[in-house]
Amino acid sequence: MAFIKKLISKSSSSFARNALSPSQKKYTTALMRGVPKSLPNALAMGTPTEPISFQKAVDQHNSYREYLECMLPRVIELKPDESFPDCVFVEDTAVVVDDKAVITNIGADSRKGEVDAVQDMMEKIGLKITDMREVDKNATCDGGDVLYPVSYRRDGPGPLQKFGGKHLFVGLSSRTNQAGASVLQQAFPDVEVVAVDLDGMTSTKALHLKSIVTHLDENTLLIPKGEEWGKLIDRMGLNERGYEVVRLPDLTACNVVSVNGKVIAQPNIGQESMSILMDEVEKRGMMLVWVDASEYTKCDGALTCKSVLIP
Ligand code: CIR
């Protein structure tokens, strides 16, 4: 693992945010939040066969953070707040597009206060903030329902550049409503917000849109095999919008984090999903690393949910 981390850092160019040339674009920052000891009390749709191990969760979290540290100039980790057992799932607190952030009104009552510390930090970073609660008090949104297919990658020799970023897919789930999607459209007028009906999909298996679909690059989305999940292709209008879809046998395999040409995926998936992922990543000249998130899966979390990526 140490060798792979070294390799990743070596293949990344300048890490200083201020050193970006005008043509160079990349994620510069990941915002994370530490693991509270209260994590075993996190919200969960089902009862896991084995309880959450705090120590294992911390180890998995550290591993994820260390990889991000190799892929990005800066990883900021906020202190956990014991009164919020779900606070490690920082993705749900904000949606970031370029230099703007919408602080969400999280759908679950017990989580609403998680956003305050995130908002403070995002203001410090210099993002232009919209507080969803101030725009429409009836709007709710979890960042896990918001998929923004964008890539910061090289197109041949030269610096990383921005590709895609035209659509913001917003899953209408038990956590996110149409009013939430409308606030996002107001806050990000330069992208098309596509509200995605998740009726019948977010069940005991999937909490959010991104529990089902994430992007490998700006043009390629990962969706599980099976008729049940295939409906998303129409509901998201992926053919009309020109996306390529890669179908994987495992739901867990479809939640990946794509950062500056590198991809983080979970290893506890079947052989077929693994080989398809490896092929697709290799075809695109990207690099793939595996990070276990089994303790987070027990309370409906995955890989994307533990960071907010900021250009
Ligand atoms: C919850 O139910 O809110 C948490 N236990 C899991 C949130 C996972 N968030 C995410 O995937 N974005």
Side-chain angles (χ1 to χ4, degrees), residues 38-45 52 84-89 298-300:
S38 55
L39 178 72
N41 301 325
L43 297 174
M45 294 187 292
I52 293 170
F84 295 112
D86 288 288
C87 66
V88 69
F89 301 119
K298 291 176 184 173
C299 50
D300 312 319

Side-chain angles (χ1 to χ4, degrees), residues 4-285:
I4 296 174
K5 285 180 180 166
K6 211 167 157 195
L7 203 70
I8 294 171
S9 332
K10 268 194 148 177
S11 64
S12 301
S13 56
S14 167
F15 271 4
R17 187 176 169 79
N18 296 339
L20 295 186
S21 69
S23 62
Q24 188 173 9
K25 296 246 171 13
K26 63 180 178 180
Y27 284 121
T28 65
T29 306
L31 183 64
M32 295 182 67
R33 193 153 193 182
V35 188
K37 291 198 175 65
S38 55
L39 178 72
N41 301 325
L43 297 174
M45 294 187 292
T47 316
T49 41
E50 278 183 40
I52 293 170
S53 153
F54 172 70
Q55 195 45 56
K56 214 168 151 191
V58 169
D59 293 345
Q60 292 176 351
H61 184 80
N62 289 343
S63 200
Y64 179 81
R65 193 190 54 240
E66 283 165 23
Y67 274 118
L68 285 180
E69 281 166 351
C70 297
M71 297 172 179
L72 292 150
R74 174 165 75 165
V75 177
I76 300 171
E77 185 167 291
L78 298 172
K79 284 204 177 77
D81 182 334
E82 288 303 330
S83 53
F84 295 112
D86 288 288
C87 66
V88 69
F89 301 119
V90 71
E91 171 181 56
D92 294 321
T93 61
V95 178
V96 175
V97 171
D98 297 329
D99 60 349
K100 294 182 188 162
V102 171
I103 303 298
T104 61
N105 180 16
I106 301 187
D109 286 345
S110 65
R111 298 195 56 192
K112 292 203 186 276
E114 289 174 27
V115 299
D116 298 341
V118 173
Q119 177 161 355
D120 288 349
M121 182 49 73
M122 289 196 165
E123 275 164 1
K124 276 191 199 135
I125 293 173
L127 291 169
K128 295 171 191 142
I129 307 283
T130 299
D131 183 340
M132 180 173 276
R133 298 163 298 183
E134 282 174 10
V135 180
D136 181 347
K137 65 178 175 19
N138 296 315
T140 62
C141 178
D142 283 11
D145 276 318
V146 183
L147 175 67
Y148 182 52
V150 67
S151 269
Y152 299 94
R153 59 173 174 82
R154 286 184 179 78
D155 188 20
L160 293 166
Q161 297 170 47
K162 179 179 175 179
F163 293 89
K166 295 193 190 109
H167 308 115
L168 203 62
F169 294 100
V170 181
L172 304 180
S173 68
S174 59
R175 301 287 179 86
T176 300
N177 60 19
Q178 180 58 57
S182 302
V183 174
L184 293 176
Q185 183 64 85
Q186 262 176 265
F188 304 124
D190 299 336
V191 298
E192 181 195 357
V193 169
V194 181
V196 183
D197 178 12
L198 294 181
D199 192 29
M201 288 191 172
T202 41
S203 56
T204 51
K205 287 193 227 156
L207 177 65
H208 290 128
L209 177 67
K210 273 192 278 189
S211 321
I212 314 170
V213 48
T214 59
H215 67 284
L216 205 54
D217 63 16
E218 77 281 0
N219 216 23
T220 315
L221 303 188
L222 306 173
I223 295 186
K225 282 189 176 167
E227 212 181 311
E228 179 187 11
W229 309 115
K231 289 179 200 155
L232 266 188
I233 298 173
D234 283 343
R235 292 189 190 183
M236 294 171 78
L238 296 182
N239 294 332
E240 305 87 280
R241 293 191 168 87
Y243 286 91
E244 184 184 338
V245 177
V246 173
R247 309 291 300 272
L248 300 170
D250 299 274
L251 179 65
T252 309
C254 294
N255 185 277
V256 303
V257 183
S258 184
V259 189
N260 297 341
K262 286 123 193 156
V263 178
I264 310 178
Q266 293 191 63
N268 52 333
I269 55 175
Q271 193 54 52
E272 192 186 338
S273 291
M274 256 192 190
S275 0
I276 300 173
L277 263 182
M278 288 194 285
D279 283 355
E280 296 295 334
V281 164
E282 198 185 327
K283 255 198 251 172
R284 290 166 178 77

